[in-house]
Each structure stands twice: as structure tokens, then as C-alpha cells.
């Protein structure tokens, strides 16, 4: 379930990045990149947690 949530967050970030790029909105583009990074960090954290739960 968490993987799906993180992937959705990453897709929203990608969309923001592309929309920001297409509209020359650097703030939105940066926000999209930040959202993607946050989602990746959360996923890695969950993967590490899952590895220790086994």
C-alpha cells in the first residue's frame, strides 16, 4: 500500500515538474522535483524498515 502511495506522490511531482517547465514556472518545477525527492526518500525508508522486519 505504501509503495502505491509513494508512486502516486512521485507521479504528482513529475506532473508538477513538467507543467512548471512548460509554463516557465520555475517555482512549480522546483516543487515537483522536491515532491519526487520526498517520495523517493519515503520509499527508501519503507524498504529499509521492511528489510529489518523480516
Amino acid at each position: 500500500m505504501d509503495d502505491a502511495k509513494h508512486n502516486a506522490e512521485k507521479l504528482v511531482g513529475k506532473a508538477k515538474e513538467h507543467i512548471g517547465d512548460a509554463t516557465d514556472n520555475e517555482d512549480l518545477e522546483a516543487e515537483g522535483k522536491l515532491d519526487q525527492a520526498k517520495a523517493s526518500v519515503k520509499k527508501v525508508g519503507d524498504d529499509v524498515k521492511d528489510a529489518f522486519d523480516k
Side-chain angles (χ1 to χ4, degrees):
M1 184 67 170
D2 284 337
D3 278 345
K5 183 179 172 185
H6 300 313
N7 285 336
E9 289 175 355
K10 198 168 187 174
L11 286 174
V12 169
K14 257 187 203 248
K16 285 182 182 179
E17 180 184 358
H18 288 293
I19 291 169
D21 186 38
T23 60
D24 253 359
N25 185 337
E26 292 178 0
D27 290 337
L28 186 60
E29 188 176 351
E31 184 179 333
K33 288 180 182 181
L34 181 62
D35 288 350
Q36 290 177 68
K38 284 181 185 178
S40 294
V41 168
K42 288 178 187 178
K43 183 173 177 0
V44 168
D46 284 344
D47 290 347
V48 169
K49 184 176 75 173
D50 290 344
F52 281 104
D53 286 344
K54 290 183 180 182

